[in-house]
Amino acid sequence: MNNLTTLIKRLEAATSRLEDMMPTVSDPSAARNGLASLPESGLTAPGAEVQNGSSASQTQLAVAPLPPAIDDFDALINGDVKTFVNMSEEIGGLVAEQVSTATPGYEAHLGNVQVAEVLRAFAAERKFLIVTTKAKKPDIQSPVYMEVLKDLQSTMGVVNDIREANRPSPLFGHLTTVSEGINVLTWVAIETKPVDTITESLSSAQFWGNRVIKEYKEKDRTHVQWVQTFYRIFTSLTGYVKQHYPSGLTWNPDGIDPLQANEEVNSGDHASTRSPPPQPSAGGPPPPPPLPKFNNAPPPPPMPPNGVSTSRNPSDMGAVFDEISKGEAVTSKLRRVDPSSQTHKNPSLRAGSAVPAGPIRSDSASSRGHRSPTPGIKPKPESMRTKKPPKKELEGNKWLIENYDSNPPSEMLEIEAHISHSILISRCTKTTIRVVGKANAISLDNCTRVSLIIDSLVSAVDVIKSPRFELQVLGTLPTIMLDQVDGAAVYLGKESLGTEVFTSKCTGVNVNLAPPGDEEGDYVERALPEQMKHVVRDGVMVSEIVEHSG
């Protein structure tokens, strides 16, 4: 009976695999939109008719299979991207509006689910990838290249527009996470090492996504899962690019004109060649291949009654008690310590650090168990460490400024930054740094007496463990974050009076404000509070700033 059940299950598995191997026809509407379609129920093209068991009266065209790179990209869209869209719809509100904005006539095979805005951006990139398999590479600066990328750029712009239009929203962190992360799709425009672009986009998205996790980890775990689902898209896309485009996007050197290929993709003609399938005989479809033989399949092992093993001998416990009842004979197999190794008989051993090692039996060594681990080596103080040479270099889109010491103000360190650059300053002492231009973000870590002068930033200045820090803002700056800073002076210009300042474990922080409007005058110094009073009122903890009156 067990052999018959096993045979039936294996026959069903073989039949399922044969059905999966049958050819399918792509959905024309899905091809126009750049999304992969689900298999149709039949094997004929739309409009074909079957009469009297034959189809010789009409020609049937089968679409050639897509390249493996496109198939894997479809799996990424239908997997992690679709899961993220569904999570966004669960959150709702502006997040659903940003991620799940419907577009008329853009459905494909997703049924009644409205196609998401993020999914549209991935679909536009899929269409661009199909064009690269059919066309020659155009000049990147030419209008032809921009025309092929037009759909991808427009969909990415819609995601960012929703973020900019809803800055006062409590879900602004969610909107910014998506708008910062959608730039990951620009990897197709990078000629060398596109994986670095994905990593940088993930860092920008994590800056805001981690804030969402911190805010909602105790209130609503759905928002935490939403951020983690968004991060998984970057991981999957990194693996995809490493597999198919490790050195940059590849084009077809023997292909057609890019505009012609773009028109063919938009019209749904993805296949480069089409060939009619073999005509079936009048007697019906050809028979399936023979099923595999299972005569030599071993039967499954018999199960014990009630799933309980009967190998235990009931007399085992009795043997244990018999050994215990032996009395002094139980200790007869213990090893005696040699007098030469006994410390109470040899004072010289007590003066040493340890007893000399003697022959140890394997059974006695295993009975002692694991020894406690040795303590780790403490790091050297900062003053005793070897000083490393100063470093100032641009790696991708990141400036690395390290190990500058006692740089005089007359030799101000200048950085020419762009809007996509992030700047990391670490282990610098008594150094003045000038950032020219509008950068993305600046981070200071373990610096002492560093003065920073900036024009404008897109996101924030993050300062960690940097005592006696000075900052002057000439343009605009949305956010300043100070963590474990002892002594800081911040000078805000007229354009940056709306800057938000976040402090944690900080002392001696003073903010100098420029006169508002067109007024002339000196900066006005305002100290940030350090002492807080916490009182329970009506069952709620209320925190207030301590006021000193003289």
Side-chain angles (χ1 to χ4, degrees):
M1 185 63 181
N2 291 332
N3 294 339
L4 180 59
T5 303
T6 304
L7 180 60
I8 292 174
K9 290 182 178 180
R10 301 184 69 176
L11 285 173
E12 292 176 349
T15 304
S16 176
R17 293 192 61 185
L18 289 174
E19 293 175 350
D20 294 339
M21 295 170 61
M22 299 175 69
T24 60
V25 178
S26 297
D27 184 7
S29 64
R32 286 193 299 270
N33 293 316
L35 289 174
S37 59
L38 294 175
E40 300 289 343
S41 58
L43 300 179
T44 59
E49 298 180 358
V50 179
Q51 297 179 356
N52 300 327
S54 67
S55 58
S57 60
Q58 297 196 19
T59 303
Q60 301 177 2
L61 297 179
V63 179
L66 294 172
I70 308 302
D71 289 336
D72 291 347
F73 198 78
D74 290 341
L76 188 149
I77 294 177
N78 296 326
D80 294 333
V81 178
K82 183 61 171 59
T83 302
F84 173 69
V85 172
N86 294 338
M87 290 291 299
S88 301
E89 294 174 350
E90 291 183 15
I91 294 177
L94 290 173
V95 175
E97 180 182 351
Q98 183 193 41
V99 182
S100 303
T101 301
T103 301
Y106 197 90
E107 274 86 21
H109 68 274
L110 298 180
N112 297 326
V113 180
Q114 292 180 336
V115 179
E117 196 65 34
V118 172
L119 186 59
R120 291 184 64 243
F122 275 87
E125 182 158 289
R126 177 186 185 273
K127 186 185 72 173
F128 179 79
L129 293 177
I130 296 177
V131 172
T132 61
T133 63
K134 304 179 64 174
K136 298 179 180 179
K137 182 179 179 180
D139 185 8
I140 297 180
Q141 305 296 333
S142 64
V144 175
Y145 186 80
M146 302 306 298
E147 177 67 22
V148 178
L149 273 178
K150 181 177 65 176
D151 292 345
L152 178 60
Q153 292 176 338
S154 61
T155 52
M156 293 172 58
V158 172
V159 176
N160 187 66
D161 292 342
I162 296 178
R163 187 272 302 267
E164 295 297 332
N166 297 277
R167 282 186 171 271
S169 171
L171 296 178
F172 179 74
H174 299 68
L175 305 180
T176 308
T177 301
V178 177
S179 63
E180 292 289 340
I182 200 66
N183 294 327
V184 70
L185 298 181
T186 59
W187 68 267
V188 295
I190 306 301
E191 295 184 351
T192 58
K193 295 183 179 180
V195 176
D196 294 344
T197 302
I198 300 177
T199 304
E200 293 168 4
S201 300
L202 176 59
S203 300
S204 301
Q206 285 177 335
F207 182 84
W208 292 93
N210 293 344
R211 287 187 175 186
V212 176
I213 293 176
K214 183 178 180 180
E215 180 180 357
Y216 287 92
K217 65 180 179 180
E218 301 296 338
K219 296 190 297 185
D220 189 353
R221 296 291 300 178
T222 302
H223 296 258
V224 178
Q225 297 174 3
W226 176 83
V227 175
Q228 294 172 347
T229 304
F230 189 51
Y231 289 170
R232 282 197 292 269
I233 296 177
F234 294 83
T235 304
S236 301
L237 188 60
T238 300
Y240 170 82
V241 173
K242 287 183 178 180
Q243 179 180 357
H244 296 285
Y245 307 104
S247 300
L249 198 63
T250 57
W251 295 71
N252 188 351
D254 301 326
I256 59 179
D257 182 76
L259 292 180
Q260 179 182 353
N262 191 40
E263 293 178 358
E264 290 182 4
V265 173
N266 290 333
S267 63
D269 186 10
H270 290 264
S272 57
T273 58
R274 294 173 182 263
S275 59
Q279 297 293 336
S281 61
L291 296 174
K293 298 181 180 181
F294 305 99
N295 296 334
N296 298 328
M303 293 294 294
N306 300 328
V308 180
S309 176
T310 58
S311 60
R312 177 175 292 181
N313 188 357
S315 62
D316 288 347
M317 295 304 298
V320 173
F321 286 106
D322 291 341
E323 291 291 332
I324 295 176
S325 302
K326 290 182 179 180
E328 295 182 356
V330 176
T331 61
S332 60
K333 296 183 180 180
L334 296 179
R335 182 176 66 90
R336 294 184 176 276
V337 179
D338 187 81
S340 60
S341 300
Q342 297 177 1
T343 56
H344 66 282
K345 294 184 178 180
N346 296 275
S348 59
L349 295 179
R350 293 196 296 269
S353 59
V355 178
I360 302 176
R361 298 186 303 177
S362 60
D363 56 348
S364 62
S366 61
S367 63
R368 289 200 306 265
H370 298 285
R371 294 182 178 179
S372 59
T374 57
I377 301 175
K378 295 183 179 180
K380 292 182 179 180
E382 190 71 26
S383 59
M384 298 179 60
R385 296 181 185 178
T386 304
K387 292 185 178 181
K388 298 181 180 179
K391 178 181 180 181
K392 174 191 173 184
E393 63 180 28
L394 177 63
E395 296 182 359
N397 287 339
K398 291 185 179 180
W399 278 100
L400 299 180
I401 312 298
E402 298 177 352
N403 305 317
Y404 277 89
D405 189 5
S406 300
N407 195 35
S410 59
E411 299 179 6
M412 183 181 299
L413 189 63
E414 289 192 0
I415 302 174
E416 294 287 344
H418 298 283
I419 194 169
S420 61
H421 289 171
S422 59
I423 304 173
L424 177 60
I425 305 172
S426 61
R427 295 186 297 274
C428 294
T429 304
K430 300 179 182 179
T431 303
T432 302
I433 302 174
R434 174 74 168 94
V435 179
V436 181
K438 188 174 184 179
N440 186 8
I442 299 178
S443 177
L444 277 84
D445 187 13
N446 286 316
C447 296
T448 304
R449 300 182 64 180
V450 170
S451 299
L452 181 62
I453 306 173
I454 65 174
D455 287 341
S456 297
L457 287 184
V458 176
S459 58
V461 173
D462 191 2
V463 184
I464 303 172
K465 295 182 180 179
S466 299
R468 305 181 69 178
F469 162 74
E470 293 182 352
L471 170 65
Q472 182 177 1
V473 183
L474 303 179
T476 59
L477 174 62
T479 308
I480 299 175
M481 293 183 292
L482 306 178
D483 186 8
Q484 302 182 47
V485 176
D486 184 9
V490 179
Y491 296 85
L492 300 179
K494 295 182 179 181
E495 298 181 8
S496 58
L497 294 179
T499 302
E500 297 179 348
V501 181
F502 298 87
T503 61
S504 175
K505 299 181 180 179
C506 297
T507 58
V509 178
N510 296 321
V511 179
N512 297 270
L513 306 177
D518 297 333
E519 299 180 6
E520 297 293 337
D522 298 333
Y523 278 74
V524 179
E525 186 178 60
R526 294 288 184 264
L528 299 186
E530 301 177 15
Q531 296 181 346
M532 305 293 293
K533 180 178 68 174
H534 310 282
V535 182
V536 178
R537 295 176 182 172
D538 299 331
V540 179
M541 182 65 71
V542 179
S543 300
E544 299 176 349
I545 300 174
V546 176
E547 297 181 358
H548 298 276
S549 58

